Amino acid sequence: MTDGPLAGIRVLDVSTILAGPLACRILGDHGADVVKIEHPEAGDGMRGHGAAKDGQGLWWKEISRNKRTVALKLSAPDGAAVLLRLAATADVMVENFRPGTLERWGVGPEQLHAVNPGLVLVRVTGFGQTGPYASRAGFGTLAEAMSGFAHLTGDADRPPTLPAFGLADSIAGIAAASAASMALFARERNGGRGEVIDLNLLEPIMTAVGPGPMTYDQLGIVGTRHGNRSTNNAPRNTYQTSDGRWLAVSTSAQRIAERVMHLVGHPEVVDETWFAAGSTRAEHADELDAHVGGWIAARTADEVTRAFEEAGAAIAPVYDARDLVEDQHVRETGILTTAEDVDFGDLLMHNVMWRAQHAPGRIRFTGRPLGADTDVVLAELGLDDDERARLRAEGVVA
């Protein structure tokens, strides 16, 4: 196995919590040499996110895999100077400080491109580098609220619902990895000129939520909450089986909707004029849900799933983490995999996000202790033992 399509590319991860670190993890999964920069004392807040085992955050092991970690105080002049030396060797740098922070430390885009004109600088913030909200604190929760996601999520008679996980951050992280890759591709075509990418948490999740602003602009329509139902098709919901399991049914395709109604014993509705389009089917969701829900409620999950598969209809179980771990398809296709970890042995985690036939990514190592690679990385820059000892004594590195 190769080290992936980004072998030979160096990435500086100067970000915290989720969006930026996830972007850099994706780049590292595909072969980039990722150098994670953390505060010598506080480290990245991701170290304390989520469940822990023996005092170590499990999420950290995954989000910071394939990254060497350097403990460096960027706000100190000597720390900023070391960052510039690192930037001179890098292809990509990802940061998510509030706008103006890098500039205040003397390591803004102008200084970075002075030492490395080909550097791709990805700047991830809550609301972007400009505009009236630029200086606001930005977190994924705020983007989930402002994007329209929360407004459309939940039951019609209940409050807007926020996700129980970092949805906006994760979408932004995937977008940031894509943006960095595009910029590297563009650099090959433009003679080696670098780029500054201004990416905020709001726009990627707005894209995922869909064309609500355009619909409002053109038709004056504002979407509302419908629980698990959709305004685009029906039946579309979760239904409980006789053995207490929940199953999700989708009928986005017309042929699938027809198969479902034949399967549940109500072929007569297929001949109704309103059944010919998803939007008009959605207007009859009560009737369709009663047909589908009643049929499913009389059968076990295995019986329902088998019947749907035989009919060529679309259905899936509502899974929790245990279900995913035990699922045969997830295991056999490598969606989850194990990576060797120095603390926990074989550690189950998400695999590289996609499979590539000729240049696949891979997990080379899991998340490392704070400052584990400081001496090695700084020695690569030419900082000798005495200079590293001085920086460590002054609290600039750890």
Side-chain angles (χ1 to χ4, degrees):
M1 182 177 289
T2 69
D3 277 335
L6 296 181
I9 296 293
R10 170 170 281 191
V11 176
L12 301 183
D13 181 358
V14 193
S15 62
T16 60
I17 305 301
L18 183 51
L22 176 58
C24 294
R25 192 208 84 185
I26 294 170
L27 299 176
D29 284 351
H30 292 276
D33 171 25
V34 181
V35 177
K36 172 75 177 177
I37 307 297
E38 299 181 75
H39 191 280
E41 299 171 4
D44 184 348
M46 282 299 301
R47 289 184 178 274
H49 267 51
K53 180 180 180 181
D54 299 336
Q56 296 197 57
L58 293 173
W59 199 355
W60 175 261
K61 295 289 189 176
E62 179 175 292
I63 198 71
S64 287
R65 70 190 187 199
N66 294 332
K67 300 179 185 180
R68 299 192 288 167
T69 174
V70 171
L72 180 65
K73 189 175 182 179
L74 300 180
S75 60
D78 282 344
V82 171
L83 179 64
L84 287 176
R85 293 179 67 168
L86 281 168
T89 72
D91 299 281
V92 177
M93 176 171 146
V94 179
E95 64 97 2
N96 68 341
F97 296 105
R98 287 200 193 188
T101 301
L102 289 187
E103 288 82 353
R104 187 171 67 252
W105 292 339
V107 288
E110 183 177 349
Q111 290 84 6
L112 291 167
H113 282 145
V115 300
N116 184 354
L119 182 69
V120 173
L121 176 61
V122 182
R123 315 193 77 176
V124 183
T125 56
F127 301 102
Q129 298 292 320
T130 62
Y133 299 161
S135 62
R136 289 185 180 181
F139 297 99
T141 298
L142 310 186
E144 289 148 9
M146 291 181 63
S147 65
F149 173 86
H151 173 75
L152 294 174
T153 304
D155 293 325
D157 60 348
R158 301 293 294 168
T161 300
L162 294 166
F165 54 92
L167 179 62
D169 275 281
S170 297
I171 297 174
I174 296 169
S178 176
S181 300
M182 291 184 193
L184 289 173
F185 182 74
R187 190 178 68 173
E188 294 298 311
R189 294 182 162 193
N190 66 24
R193 184 180 68 248
E195 183 63 275
V196 178
I197 295 169
D198 179 3
L199 188 146
N200 62 66
L201 297 181
L202 183 59
E203 285 186 80
I205 191 172
M206 281 181 62
T207 299
V209 170
M214 179 171 61
T215 302
Y216 170 73
D217 177 66
Q218 294 296 309
L219 301 175
I221 297 174
V222 175
T224 56
R225 291 185 289 286
H226 301 280
N228 291 326
R229 289 177 174 176
S230 169
T231 58
N232 298 316
N233 64 82
R236 191 262 197 183
N237 213 325
T238 58
Y239 308 92
Q240 194 170 28
T241 64
S242 64
D243 55 347
R245 297 299 302 271
W246 287 93
L247 302 175
V249 172
S250 175
T251 58
S252 296
Q254 182 68 23
R255 291 291 300 275
I256 298 295
E258 295 171 3
R259 292 170 186 169
V260 169
M261 299 319 298
H262 278 90
L263 174 63
V264 301
H266 288 277
E268 73 279 1
V269 299
V270 176
D271 296 326
E272 298 285 349
T273 55
W274 51 262
F275 197 86
S279 58
T280 49
R281 292 202 311 273
E283 296 172 0
H284 294 260
D286 286 343
E287 176 183 350
L288 296 175
D289 272 350
H291 293 328
V292 176
W295 187 88
I296 289 177
R299 292 162 174 81
T300 67
D302 286 343
E303 291 171 339
V304 173
T305 301
R306 184 165 52 251
F308 265 70
E309 289 178 350
E310 291 173 354
I315 196 166
V318 176
Y319 271 176
D320 59 23
R322 177 171 53 190
D323 296 322
L324 283 169
V325 169
E326 296 175 351
D327 184 85
Q328 182 179 2
H329 179 84
V330 171
R331 282 291 196 172
E332 290 188 7
T333 58
I335 294 173
L336 293 175
T337 189
T338 55
E340 185 178 352
D341 181 75
V342 295
D343 297 302
F344 304 128
D346 285 343
L347 190 60
L348 185 72
M349 62 177 60
H350 297 104
N351 204 346
V352 176
M353 203 176 296
W354 57 86
R355 314 289 175 266
Q357 181 179 2
H358 300 298
R362 67 185 179 100
I363 302 170
R364 301 186 296 279
F365 51 87
T366 58
R368 293 167 60 71
L370 177 63
D373 304 289
T374 299
D375 283 316
V376 172
V377 173
L378 296 192
E380 292 172 357
L381 294 179
L383 278 70
D384 61 25
D385 294 346
D386 290 341
E387 192 168 5
R388 297 198 306 274
R390 178 184 66 81
L391 293 173
R392 186 166 279 110
E394 294 175 356
V396 176
V397 304

